[in-house]
Amino acid sequence: MPTFTAIDFETAQPKRWSICQVGLVRVEAGVVTQELSLLVRPPEDMYSGFNTAVHGLTARDTMAAPGFDAIWPQIANFIEGQTVVAHNMAFDGSCLKQALEFYGLPLPLFEKQCTYKLFKKKLNYCCEEFDIPLNHHDALSDARACAALYLRSLRG
């Protein structure tokens, strides 16, 4: 069975560098070995009402949290040189790229996989269909669901 990292980012604003929560699930040989849920203080701790309506996070939640540049060393090893899976890698991959660029950090090399492309449905619909627990737009819950879907796709 495969080894990979499932990720999900929530953002404070339409700007993709405005990451406010990271969810990460590490799967080794087909078994979940680690999970991380990190609140992240976006630049200037500014939130749009639209984004808050999606995930429920506000400046109050992240005012004491570290910035993305401070948490990057904690998550980099789960991404660099790894297979990284997201449910909509176009979004999550661009969040990672833009946040790293915003803070002047180098973009690591990694293999990208996308469960949205594999299943061709929104995450909540996939989770309903396959009875996968989901607290949608909580980054860790979304990453857990993504990991479960990717494992399901590999098992056929």
Side-chain angles (χ1 to χ4, degrees):
M1 286 295 340
T3 294
F4 64 90
T5 301
I7 60 166
D8 185 76
F9 297 113
E10 299 299 326
T11 58
Q13 306 168 28
K15 302 289 187 189
R16 294 194 179 174
W17 44 253
S18 68
I19 293 171
C20 60
Q21 187 186 25
V22 175
L24 182 148
V25 175
R26 182 68 177 163
V27 176
E28 296 178 353
V31 177
V32 173
T33 58
Q34 191 165 359
E35 296 183 337
L36 288 174
S37 178
L38 301 169
L39 289 176
V40 180
R41 187 178 190 277
E44 299 178 16
D45 210 20
M46 294 189 57
Y47 282 74
S48 79
F50 176 81
N51 290 55
T52 292
V54 169
H55 51 59
L57 296 171
T58 67
R60 181 178 298 226
D61 297 310
T62 55
M63 65 191 307
F68 186 82
D69 56 334
I71 64 107
W72 175 242
Q74 189 176 352
I75 66 171
N77 289 337
F78 295 102
I79 296 171
E80 190 166 7
Q82 304 297 315
T83 297
V84 179
V85 185
H87 195 84
N88 192 357
M89 182 54 84
F91 175 80
D92 293 293
S94 69
C95 288
L96 178 61
K97 180 179 185 290
Q98 290 184 29
L100 290 168
E101 287 173 350
F102 183 89
Y103 290 103
L105 299 168
L107 182 65
L109 295 176
F110 59 96
E111 177 189 342
K112 298 176 185 176
Q113 294 292 329
C114 180
T115 53
Y116 180 76
K117 286 185 177 180
L118 292 170
F119 288 90
K120 299 180 181 10
K121 295 179 186 173
K122 289 184 170 185
L123 184 61
N124 55 324
Y125 296 141
C126 289
C127 290
E128 285 177 25
E129 181 177 340
F130 299 116
D131 200 29
I132 297 170
L134 179 67
N135 177 15
H136 203 17
H137 297 297
D138 170 81
L140 179 56
S141 182
D142 288 2
R144 284 177 179 148
C146 178
L149 287 169
Y150 191 62
L151 284 169
R152 182 178 193 86
S153 76
L154 294 172
R155 291 177 180 143

